[in-house]
Amino acid sequence: MNLTEIDLTGIPEFVKNPRQRIQEMIQNHDIKGLMEKAAELHGHLCSFVTLGLRAGVMAMNKLGEEAVDGMERVICIIECNNCFSDGIQLTTGCTFGNNALIFRDLGKNSFTLLNREKKKAFRVTVRPDALEKISKLQKRAYPEAEELFQKVVTKRQGTPEEGQVLKNLFLRVSYDLLSLPEEEFFTLQEVTIEPEKSAPIFQSHICQLCGEKIMETRARLKEEKIVCIPCAKDRFFQLDGSGISQKCID
Ligand SMILES: [Zn+2]
Ligand SMILES: [Zn+2]
């Protein structure tokens, strides 16, 4: 069959160019529109996902990006894994799954967006006083919020009702933040960096103990058998709320 004649009947028009709506929102600085999309991905709206969206919009427009397609032409190097990074993934289209998102475990609310072809890159960082500004805004409007936050989030002792109240508060503050200009929250600078290599394609093996398929570089040799890391009881890296650390499944 001729590949140029692939029949796309029955496939929604939208998925043929799925980033178009988001791209238009980015170009129009439609943060509220992006917040609806981010809420679907992130599960809630909060100040840091909103900051991520605004920072992502800034960097994308600065880079002059028009058609991000998740094919590693535009790469994002992110330095944190938190609510902020979901705002960045949504706006830049660089995700964990499409290998356009590179995670550096630096614990900073910062990212660098680069276009490999243009060899252009911008680094955006959340200003150190941004959190203070958000909490000032929050304290002024909702003085009892701090105590509730401590109870529900820090001590994890809140009731489901208190959890919902806090979610509503996060929602309110996320929208309230939109009244403050970008410069209050971020610094953006053009940087020169070496583009990272494209994601390589590796061969696979079948673990001779559990029968699951494994990427070649994660295969281990145990008693002359090719096995996976858990079957070899070897150490591996795990990314979680504490960043990257080495683990071992016993
Ligand atoms: Zn969040
Ligand atoms: Zn195995």
Side-chain angles (χ1 to χ4, degrees):
M1 187 198 166
N2 188 343
L3 289 180
T4 56
E5 288 163 13
I6 290 179
D7 181 9
L8 296 180
T9 339
I11 296 178
E13 212 44 48
F14 168 75
V15 295
K16 295 176 191 164
N17 187 7
R19 293 278 305 173
Q20 194 182 347
R21 273 194 56 204
I22 289 179
Q23 195 52 45
E24 283 166 9
M25 289 176 187
I26 290 171
Q27 279 162 341
N28 299 329
H29 291 261
D30 177 8
I31 308 291
K32 285 185 182 166
L34 289 165
M35 282 165 86
E36 291 180 18
K37 294 263 172 207
E40 286 179 358
L41 171 75
H42 189 58
H44 64 257
L45 279 175
C46 61
S47 47
F48 261 68
V49 80
T50 308
L51 286 190
L53 293 174
R54 295 188 68 183
V57 165
M58 241 173 95
M60 287 288 283
N61 283 322
K62 201 77 190 161
L63 206 58
E65 271 320 313
E66 278 170 11
V68 172
D69 54 4
M71 298 299 278
E72 299 181 59
R73 184 173 49 83
V74 172
I75 300 283
C76 180
I77 302 172
I78 186 96
E79 302 175 23
C80 57
N81 62 321
N82 56 23
C83 304
F84 182 74
S85 42
D86 270 355
I88 300 300
Q89 288 191 81
L90 186 92
T91 45
T92 63
C94 300
T95 72
F96 188 56
N98 64 26
N99 285 138
L101 186 74
I102 294 171
F103 177 70
R104 287 191 184 158
D105 195 4
L106 304 180
K108 294 185 185 187
N109 291 309
S110 309
F111 68 99
T112 302
L113 192 68
L114 77 120
N115 181 307
R116 269 186 220 281
E117 288 162 10
K118 293 184 193 164
K119 296 201 178 3
K120 221 174 178 193
F122 291 93
R123 182 167 184 269
V124 181
T125 187
V126 175
R127 293 171 62 107
D129 56 355
L131 202 61
E132 233 169 86
K133 277 186 186 135
I134 297 170
S135 75
K136 248 190 212 161
L137 183 141
Q138 192 174 289
K139 266 186 203 148
R140 216 181 307 129
Y142 320 99
E144 64 289 351
E146 186 53 32
E147 202 182 318
L148 184 66
F149 182 86
Q150 291 296 337
K151 188 177 176 188
V152 178
V153 180
T154 314
K155 298 181 189 155
R156 300 191 191 267
Q157 288 172 347
T159 62
E161 291 75 23
E162 287 171 322
Q164 188 53 51
V165 172
L166 199 65
K167 258 189 142 178
N168 293 346
L169 178 77
F170 286 164
L171 206 53
R172 186 65 260 167
V173 173
S174 307
Y175 281 85
D176 289 351
L177 279 185
L178 302 183
S179 61
L180 296 174
E182 286 161 356
E183 308 81 69
E184 300 240 349
F185 295 116
F186 314 110
T187 34
L188 175 143
Q189 57 182 141
E190 186 159 8
V191 289
T192 316
I193 59 165
E194 252 335 283
E196 301 277 341
K197 288 192 194 89
S198 299
I201 308 292
F202 291 110
Q203 289 203 324
S204 298
H205 291 291
I206 304 284
C207 171
Q208 288 178 261
L209 288 178
C210 70
E212 292 183 5
K213 207 166 179 180
I214 23 164
M215 185 173 157
E216 187 171 42
T217 54
R218 301 297 179 271
R220 301 287 180 265
L221 206 58
K222 191 187 176 190
E223 290 155 12
E224 291 176 30
K225 285 193 176 91
I226 293 177
V227 296
C228 69
I229 293 176
C231 288
K233 297 205 184 309
D234 199 4
R235 297 178 76 79
F236 57 91
F237 290 101
Q238 176 169 301
L239 171 64
D240 53 35
S242 318
I244 293 180
S245 56
Q246 273 208 336
K247 303 269 171 191
C248 191
I249 297 171
D250 293 320

mmCIF file of all heavy atoms in Angstrom, residues 42 44-49 82-84 86 170, ligand 1:
data_model
loop_
_atom_site.group_PDB
_atom_site.id
_atom_site.type_symbol
_atom_site.label_atom_id
_atom_site.label_comp_id
_atom_site.label_asym_id
_atom_site.label_seq_id
_atom_site.Cartn_x
_atom_site.Cartn_y
_atom_site.Cartn_z
ATOM 1 N N HIS A 42 -3.153 17.988 35.748
ATOM 2 C CA HIS A 42 -2.540 18.061 37.084
ATOM 3 C C HIS A 42 -3.497 17.604 38.190
ATOM 4 O O HIS A 42 -3.059 17.275 39.292
ATOM 5 C CB HIS A 42 -2.095 19.510 37.298
ATOM 6 C CG HIS A 42 -1.259 19.735 38.499
ATOM 7 N ND1 HIS A 42 -0.066 19.087 38.725
ATOM 8 C CD2 HIS A 42 -1.437 20.548 39.580
ATOM 9 C CE1 HIS A 42 0.439 19.502 39.869
ATOM 10 N NE2 HIS A 42 -0.371 20.377 40.414
ATOM 11 N N HIS A 44 -5.629 19.354 39.842
ATOM 12 C CA HIS A 44 -6.105 20.522 40.585
ATOM 13 C C HIS A 44 -5.404 21.751 40.020
ATOM 14 O O HIS A 44 -4.461 21.616 39.247
ATOM 15 C CB HIS A 44 -5.811 20.382 42.087
ATOM 16 C CG HIS A 44 -4.342 20.342 42.412
ATOM 17 N ND1 HIS A 44 -3.671 19.183 42.720
ATOM 18 C CD2 HIS A 44 -3.398 21.322 42.448
ATOM 19 C CE1 HIS A 44 -2.396 19.451 42.954
ATOM 20 N NE2 HIS A 44 -2.198 20.731 42.784
ATOM 21 N N LEU A 45 -5.888 22.912 40.417
ATOM 22 C CA LEU A 45 -5.164 24.131 40.049
ATOM 23 C C LEU A 45 -4.543 24.699 41.307
ATOM 24 O O LEU A 45 -5.156 24.695 42.370
ATOM 25 C CB LEU A 45 -6.102 25.158 39.407
ATOM 26 C CG LEU A 45 -6.393 24.927 37.932
ATOM 27 C CD1 LEU A 45 -7.421 25.925 37.430
ATOM 28 C CD2 LEU A 45 -5.128 25.025 37.080
ATOM 29 N N CYS A 46 -3.309 25.141 41.201
ATOM 30 C CA CYS A 46 -2.612 25.705 42.359
ATOM 31 C C CYS A 46 -1.679 26.789 41.843
ATOM 32 O O CYS A 46 -1.502 26.943 40.638
ATOM 33 C CB CYS A 46 -1.830 24.605 43.074
ATOM 34 S SG CYS A 46 -0.584 23.847 42.023
ATOM 35 N N SER A 47 -1.076 27.514 42.780
ATOM 36 C CA SER A 47 -0.259 28.648 42.341
ATOM 37 C C SER A 47 0.948 28.195 41.519
ATOM 38 O O SER A 47 1.307 28.842 40.548
ATOM 39 C CB SER A 47 0.173 29.499 43.527
ATOM 40 O OG SER A 47 0.659 28.691 44.551
ATOM 41 N N PHE A 48 1.548 27.055 41.866
ATOM 42 C CA PHE A 48 2.760 26.673 41.147
ATOM 43 C C PHE A 48 2.503 26.082 39.760
ATOM 44 O O PHE A 48 3.315 26.258 38.860
ATOM 45 C CB PHE A 48 3.672 25.786 42.009
ATOM 46 C CG PHE A 48 4.762 26.616 42.611
ATOM 47 C CD1 PHE A 48 4.454 27.568 43.574
ATOM 48 C CD2 PHE A 48 6.067 26.537 42.171
ATOM 49 C CE1 PHE A 48 5.443 28.406 44.092
ATOM 50 C CE2 PHE A 48 7.064 27.361 42.673
ATOM 51 C CZ PHE A 48 6.751 28.291 43.644
ATOM 52 N N VAL A 49 1.374 25.442 39.571
ATOM 53 C CA VAL A 49 1.069 24.980 38.205
ATOM 54 C C VAL A 49 0.771 26.220 37.346
ATOM 55 O O VAL A 49 1.164 26.298 36.181
ATOM 56 C CB VAL A 49 -0.056 23.911 38.174
ATOM 57 C CG1 VAL A 49 -1.432 24.482 38.281
ATOM 58 C CG2 VAL A 49 0.028 23.070 36.910
ATOM 59 N N ASN A 82 7.622 19.066 40.371
ATOM 60 C CA ASN A 82 6.543 19.498 41.257
ATOM 61 C C ASN A 82 5.429 20.107 40.409
ATOM 62 O O ASN A 82 5.431 19.942 39.186
ATOM 63 C CB ASN A 82 7.080 20.498 42.301
ATOM 64 C CG ASN A 82 7.770 21.687 41.648
ATOM 65 O OD1 ASN A 82 7.516 22.008 40.497
ATOM 66 N ND2 ASN A 82 8.643 22.339 42.386
ATOM 67 N N CYS A 83 4.511 20.807 41.035
ATOM 68 C CA CYS A 83 3.380 21.391 40.314
ATOM 69 C C CYS A 83 3.858 22.286 39.163
ATOM 70 O O CYS A 83 3.294 22.278 38.075
ATOM 71 C CB CYS A 83 2.511 22.213 41.266
ATOM 72 S SG CYS A 83 1.922 21.262 42.678
ATOM 73 N N PHE A 84 4.934 23.038 39.400
ATOM 74 C CA PHE A 84 5.496 23.934 38.388
ATOM 75 C C PHE A 84 5.818 23.159 37.108
ATOM 76 O O PHE A 84 5.510 23.598 36.007
ATOM 77 C CB PHE A 84 6.771 24.574 38.969
ATOM 78 C CG PHE A 84 7.454 25.569 38.080
ATOM 79 C CD1 PHE A 84 6.916 26.830 37.884
ATOM 80 C CD2 PHE A 84 8.649 25.258 37.447
ATOM 81 C CE1 PHE A 84 7.553 27.771 37.069
ATOM 82 C CE2 PHE A 84 9.296 26.179 36.627
ATOM 83 C CZ PHE A 84 8.743 27.442 36.447
ATOM 84 N N ASP A 86 4.473 20.540 35.830
ATOM 85 C CA ASP A 86 3.320 20.156 35.007
ATOM 86 C C ASP A 86 2.863 21.321 34.120
ATOM 87 O O ASP A 86 2.458 21.117 32.974
ATOM 88 C CB ASP A 86 2.151 19.662 35.882
ATOM 89 C CG ASP A 86 2.238 18.157 36.118
ATOM 90 O OD1 ASP A 86 3.139 17.520 35.533
ATOM 91 O OD2 ASP A 86 1.401 17.619 36.864
ATOM 92 N N PHE A 170 -6.725 27.175 46.883
ATOM 93 C CA PHE A 170 -5.673 27.087 45.857
ATOM 94 C C PHE A 170 -6.201 27.605 44.515
ATOM 95 O O PHE A 170 -5.522 28.302 43.785
ATOM 96 C CB PHE A 170 -5.220 25.630 45.669
ATOM 97 C CG PHE A 170 -4.365 25.089 46.782
ATOM 98 C CD1 PHE A 170 -4.175 23.723 46.914
ATOM 99 C CD2 PHE A 170 -3.733 25.930 47.680
ATOM 100 C CE1 PHE A 170 -3.374 23.204 47.921
ATOM 101 C CE2 PHE A 170 -2.926 25.422 48.697
ATOM 102 C CZ PHE A 170 -2.752 24.046 48.820
HETATM 103 ZN ZN ZN B 1 -0.374 21.563 42.244
#
